[in-house]
Amino acid sequence: MARIGIELARRIGVVDRRIFGSFIEHLGRCIYGGIFEEGSPLSDAHGFRRDVLEAVRPLRIPVLRWPGGNFVSGYHWLDGVGPIKERPRRSELAWYAEESNRLGTNEFIEYCRVIGAEPYICVNMGSGSMDEAQSWVEYCNGTGNTHWANLRRKHGYPEPHRVRLWGLGNEMYGTWQIGHLSADDYVKKARAFAMLMKRTDPGIQLVGCGHNGWSDWDAIVLEGLAPIVDYHSIHLYTGHADHYATAFQSHQAERAVRICAALIERVRHAQRIAHPISIAFDEWNVWYRTRSHEDRVAGVEERFTLSDALAIATYLNGFIRQCRAVRIANFAQLVNAIAPIFTSQEGLFLQTIYHPLRLYAEHSHEVALDVLVDAPTYELPAGVEEDGVGRVHHVADLGPFSLLDASPTSALPSAPTGPRAT
């Protein structure tokens, strides 16, 4: 027997629809053979797979992050603009592959326009320079008679792309990352990048490179970047061979948000930071079965189950509950690589995790509500997180866990239909 109690007057906060965002990276078949397949009878004149577009649209993606991910720390954006036939083919050292550069900045912007998503670009702080990041902002957003703005115009885009969200590197804390840094060195480098980028376009918003939300890296980076960033990123991948561990590990995301939100509040108070700093949970998913660098394609094509779909729903419930702190979230990734949409040359199928992503995007309203859940509970058995399969996230201390998880929302009172709950 389970019971849910909802009181429309008990409001947690306003839900930013950007929590239903997504992420695409040049990894496996996410881009080539995923969203983009030139010459396929299933593709349109831009090379975008029409069947994928039809599957993506119901997800109502409000913000799309690109080009990485680990990929971005070796990516030079000039390789991906201009005439496609003249673009260089490069060794891609993050995922041990080759990059054709046939999808670059302008194609990404076109894709965002087609699906109605806001573009979110992450800059190369690995092998890239601050001049390269500055010129990318100017290429995308410049309105003056300058070299980079004129180059965009020469490439067929007279109007600026108006990219507002810019990430200051990806996972720079990791030894796997090209050009990885200590937290202190990252702060120094990010401040230099940020100064040039903001001078180029003062209207952009910057996302600092966080870790998992509770680490020393997060504390040091927030302390150093709070005056200049608008968002602090968190990444988390969970998953386990055990059904209950998979479902309940998603609660680790809420713990990460709670701790990170406290770190943000602390630094804003200590430094008297006037502007808000929110959390961008810009990579999250269930991912533990496939992690092969040797097979770049099949090595990341996870096959998802009902357990994984329940975990995804729990993640989304957590983002809604923590809506006062989390303003952006980007599900990783959109097609083929650990993704809800899986393609072949003949068509596609939708994995189990597609359905909670679609249902939450369709039915969530503007206001998150507090909720009473009265349901049976479950305790993770001792040692279940230590079976050696996948990434281990210790969440047993958060239990016992309710077997029913819920996050009601209602429409704003001013909406014509009046308050509703889902």
Side-chain angles (χ1 to χ4, degrees):
M1 182 71 177
R3 181 171 65 95
I4 295 177
I6 301 172
E7 172 53 58
L8 295 180
R10 292 178 59 88
R11 299 173 183 168
I12 297 173
V14 175
V15 177
D16 192 322
R17 290 204 62 83
R18 291 179 299 172
I19 65 171
F20 303 119
S22 195
F23 168 47
I24 54 174
E25 180 178 0
H26 297 244
L27 167 61
R29 297 191 304 123
C30 180
I31 302 292
Y32 306 111
I35 71 167
F36 185 75
E37 191 168 7
E38 296 168 295
S40 168
L42 299 175
S43 297
D44 63 15
H46 296 287
F48 301 146
R49 285 275 297 252
R50 293 189 303 270
D51 55 342
V52 173
L53 284 171
E54 290 305 306
V56 167
R57 287 191 177 102
L59 298 178
R60 303 184 183 187
I61 295 169
V63 58
L64 187 63
R65 179 174 180 254
W66 172 87
N70 296 353
F71 172 83
V72 75
S73 293
Y75 177 66
H76 299 286
W77 70 269
L78 272 171
D79 289 343
V81 297
I84 289 180
K85 291 182 179 179
E86 297 176 13
R87 296 180 189 177
R89 188 175 183 90
R90 302 287 193 191
S91 294
E92 201 287 288
L93 302 179
W95 299 110
Y96 304 93
E98 293 182 1
E99 172 56 42
S100 69
N101 286 301
R102 296 186 73 83
L103 186 140
T105 301
N106 295 314
E107 289 79 19
F108 168 67
I109 296 295
E110 292 280 5
Y111 198 78
C112 287
R113 289 171 177 165
V114 169
I115 67 173
E118 177 183 1
Y120 167 14
I121 292 178
C122 184
V123 303
N124 177 358
M125 282 189 61
S127 65
S129 69
M130 68 180 79
D131 287 338
E132 186 176 18
Q134 180 277 327
S135 62
W136 204 357
V137 174
E138 187 176 315
Y139 179 89
C140 288
N141 296 356
T143 59
N145 184 23
T146 63
H147 172 77
W148 298 112
N150 287 334
L151 184 63
R152 183 197 67 240
R153 295 181 183 107
K154 179 181 177 181
H155 291 160
Y157 296 87
E159 296 300 316
H161 293 326
R162 298 183 177 89
V163 178
R164 181 177 59 162
L165 288 167
W166 293 83
L168 295 170
N170 176 78
E171 294 185 1
M172 299 308 299
Y173 51 83
T175 56
W176 57 87
Q177 202 71 207
I178 295 171
H180 74 93
L181 300 163
S182 70
D184 290 323
D185 287 342
Y186 169 74
V187 168
K188 294 175 186 176
K189 190 172 183 180
R191 290 179 73 94
F193 271 60
M195 184 181 73
L196 286 187
M197 293 167 70
K198 290 283 281 188
R199 285 189 179 185
T200 302
D201 182 353
I204 64 174
Q205 294 186 321
L206 298 177
V207 184
C209 175
H211 185 198
N212 52 27
W214 62 78
S215 70
D216 291 341
W217 171 282
D218 292 284
I220 293 169
V221 167
L222 276 167
E223 185 79 20
L225 296 187
I228 61 173
V229 298
D230 303 280
Y231 299 91
H232 181 79
S233 73
I234 295 177
H235 291 179
L236 182 67
Y237 294 96
T238 58
H240 198 280
D242 178 78
H243 166 80
Y244 288 103
T246 292
F248 297 141
Q249 277 185 356
S250 300
H251 289 289
Q252 189 81 317
E254 273 193 274
R255 168 151 54 194
V257 170
R258 288 194 299 269
I259 296 173
C260 190
L263 292 174
I264 290 171
E265 184 175 5
R266 176 184 177 276
V267 75
R268 287 188 69 224
H269 175 72
Q271 298 186 26
R272 300 295 189 264
I273 303 296
H275 70 271
I277 302 172
S278 302
I279 292 170
F281 216 121
D282 56 19
E283 286 190 33
W284 66 275
N285 198 354
V286 177
W287 183 16
Y288 70 99
R289 301 176 186 90
T290 58
R291 288 187 167 273
S292 171
H293 274 98
E294 290 71 28
D295 188 344
R296 177 185 180 243
V297 176
V300 294
E301 295 190 353
E302 193 98 340
R303 297 296 189 271
F304 292 103
T305 66
L306 177 59
S307 301
D308 304 322
L310 293 173
I312 296 304
T314 303
Y315 268 109
L316 292 169
N317 283 341
F319 297 153
I320 291 171
R321 283 189 287 263
Q322 302 298 326
C323 64
R324 294 177 66 181
V326 181
R327 296 297 185 185
I328 297 173
N330 301 86
F331 179 84
Q333 294 184 19
L334 185 57
V335 186
N336 288 327
I338 53 170
I341 302 167
F342 188 87
T343 68
S344 70
Q345 292 183 347
E346 292 75 35
L348 60 76
F349 70 84
L350 305 177
Q351 299 219 62
T352 58
I353 61 171
Y354 176 90
H355 304 289
L357 292 169
R358 177 182 62 82
L359 289 168
Y360 276 73
E362 284 182 353
H363 296 290
S364 294
H365 296 298
E366 297 91 345
V367 179
L369 302 173
D370 199 2
V371 62
L372 168 67
V373 176
D374 182 11
T377 61
Y378 183 88
E379 295 235 26
L380 284 175
V384 70
E385 297 169 306
E386 302 290 352
D387 71 352
V389 178
R391 295 185 173 187
V392 177
H393 288 286
H394 297 283
V395 296
D397 61 304
L398 297 175
F401 299 93
S402 173
L403 291 175
L404 177 63
D405 191 47
S407 61
T409 61
S410 71
L412 288 168
S414 58
T417 54
R420 292 173 292 155
T422 58

